[in-house]
Amino acid sequence: SVLCRLSSAFSLLGLSEARPFRRAALGLVGHLMFYPLTFLAALATMLLWQRMGLPIHPQEVLVQAVGMSPAAFGVLLVGACVVAPVTEEVLFRGFLYATLRRYLGPVGALGWSALAFALLHSHAMGFASLFLIGFLLGYLYERTGSLVASMAAHGANNLASLLVAWLTFHPA
């Protein structure tokens, strides 16, 4: 039946959860564990670019967020912290990683899906931290078997980045 096939597809993607809140909590803990690593990768990249005399440009969404009204910022938060994590995790971990894993094993699939994740974000200065985030989100998915966990971690990462940018640089 159609419902059985749909349930099977959700299960293959890691979306059929008996305890979604527990998986989301695991994702949030995962985010707290890897955020210092990704922050240090971003900081090291920024210092390297500065040392090489290259212009330092944050991701465009962070630049745009700074000048937004609170209402517009709220809409951005929903898009960046809910819509983007759900769609990107289904694409990068649910489809790409899962497919690559069958042919390359977990380590190869983690590397290649993280590379695709970083390249698709089209931010040269943030490439190292985006690759690391993609790798760690894939690792979280591999360990939990759940896209809910990687979606929660991805959403928390985007929320942290946007809040830091907005609270630091938004005009009072």
Side-chain angles (χ1 to χ4, degrees):
S1 86
V2 172
L3 288 177
C4 280
R5 279 189 242 140
L6 187 59
S7 175
S8 178
F10 279 138
S11 180
L12 285 172
L13 288 173
L15 287 172
S16 88
E17 292 289 336
R19 299 188 298 196
F21 295 110
R22 185 173 190 277
R23 297 293 191 194
L26 284 172
L28 295 177
V29 169
H31 165 71
L32 290 174
M33 291 173 63
F34 71 65
Y35 191 76
L37 295 172
T38 58
F39 179 81
L40 288 174
L43 182 62
T45 301
M46 188 177 71
L47 293 172
L48 178 65
W49 279 52
Q50 186 178 36
R51 182 141 177 106
M52 292 178 357
L54 297 171
I56 296 173
H57 298 291
Q59 274 185 299
E60 188 59 33
V61 69
L62 297 176
V63 173
Q64 291 174 359
V66 170
M68 290 182 168
S69 69
F73 186 71
V75 172
L76 175 65
L77 282 178
V78 171
C81 301
V82 178
V83 176
V86 168
T87 56
E88 289 180 10
E89 290 309 305
V90 168
L91 174 66
F92 289 106
R93 264 50 76 186
F95 288 116
L96 183 61
Y97 173 79
T99 301
L100 291 172
R101 189 180 192 286
R102 282 187 278 164
Y103 300 101
L104 305 175
V107 176
L110 284 170
W112 284 105
S113 64
L115 178 64
F117 180 80
L119 289 173
L120 197 72
H121 280 81
S122 302
H123 184 243
M125 193 181 108
F127 179 83
S129 58
L130 286 164
F131 179 87
L132 184 58
I133 290 166
F135 190 91
L136 292 168
L137 289 170
Y139 179 76
L140 185 60
Y141 174 59
E142 174 69 28
R143 293 289 298 169
T144 65
S146 170
L147 280 180
V148 172
S150 61
M151 287 173 183
H154 192 151
N157 181 73
N158 290 358
L159 177 65
S161 298
L162 285 169
L163 285 178
V164 166
W166 200 72
L167 292 171
T168 303
F169 300 109
H170 190 270

